[in-house]
Each structure stands twice: as C-alpha cells, then as structure tokens.
Amino acid sequence: QVQLEESGGGLVQAGDSLRLSCAASGRTFIIYTMAWFRQAPGKEREFVAAIRWNDGRTDYADSVKGQFTIFRHNAKNTVYLQMNSLKPEDTAVYYCAADTRLDVSRRSRWEWAYWGQGTQVAVSS
C-alpha cells in the first residue's frame, strides 16, 4: 500500500502564495506519477497538475498554467505544489494522488489509485 499525507494548506489573502506538500510512504517504489486535484464546495474534484517521478515531466490544467508549479524531491518521496497569485476561486480542498502508471495526462480522479486526506486552502478577497 501507499500512504499520502498533504500539508501546507491555510487561509491566505488574494495575491499571496502558498506551497503544498505531499509526502508518500509505504510501497513508494511502485509509484510513477503523482498529482494534485482540488474540490471546491458543491463542485466536482478537478485535476490541477501532475508529475512523472523519473523524468519530471509535468502536466497542468489550463486554469493554473503559469500560476501553479508542481515539482518533486525524489529523496524525500515528496511532491510539492507552489501556488502563486492566489485568487478566491482557488479556494478548495487540495488532494494529492499517486498511481503506478506513467502517463501524466490523466485528468479524471478515477484514473488515480492512491489518495491523501486533503488539505484546505482558503483565499480571501
């Protein structure tokens, strides 16, 4: 099994930055890709960004390109989401996901096998 633990959420003001972390533990050797999703109240969980572990290839939702950056620290088995110029519409619970497959362009939540519990991000105007 693989366990994922997110951290770094909080309440910030519009225009601020925040960095989320997701630490993987357990059978991490089976993981090839990790991703961030988010879910706002009353909405579906949506893809934010993904990264491939071995070569760092990334993919982003159009809504966050140029604003968010996903990167990883291999030795720590940790993936990060750097979020800049935050807007109230970025308010959501952010979830970390992981999978054994190589494709970083999987946008559906149902295509990812392992999930963290989520961390709340709230952006005030």
Side-chain angles (χ1 to χ4, degrees):
Q1 275 287 22
V2 174
Q3 293 80 42
L4 304 175
E5 184 172 2
E6 303 98 334
S7 60
L11 172 63
V12 297
Q13 293 185 332
D16 286 351
S17 297
L18 205 59
R19 179 178 293 181
L20 306 181
S21 301
C22 174
S25 60
R27 302 180 70 209
T28 57
F29 60 90
I30 67 173
I31 296 301
Y32 284 92
T33 47
M34 293 183 72
W36 288 96
F37 283 71
R38 65 185 180 185
Q39 188 165 15
K43 294 189 176 181
E44 295 290 319
R45 192 171 300 187
E46 65 172 358
F47 172 81
V48 175
I51 189 167
R52 188 155 61 204
W53 209 250
N54 59 348
D55 62 3
R57 183 180 179 91
T58 58
D59 189 32
Y60 293 91
D62 288 343
S63 58
V64 304
K65 279 182 182 176
Q67 182 190 2
F68 291 2
T69 303
I70 187 171
F71 59 100
R72 85 263 193 234
H73 191 304
N74 289 31
K76 293 184 178 180
N77 289 325
T78 300
V79 66
Y80 303 92
L81 186 68
Q82 177 66 42
M83 306 186 292
N84 297 328
S85 303
L86 283 162
K87 311 165 191 174
E89 50 264 44
D90 294 317
T91 294
V93 177
Y94 284 72
Y95 295 91
C96 177
D99 201 87
T100 59
R101 290 172 285 183
L102 288 168
D103 183 9
V104 293
S105 300
R106 288 170 284 119
R107 302 295 182 96
S108 170
R109 62 177 292 184
W110 307 110
E111 296 178 286
W112 293 83
Y114 302 100
W115 290 88
Q117 294 298 308
T119 185
Q120 176 72 54
V121 172
V123 185
S124 63
S125 57

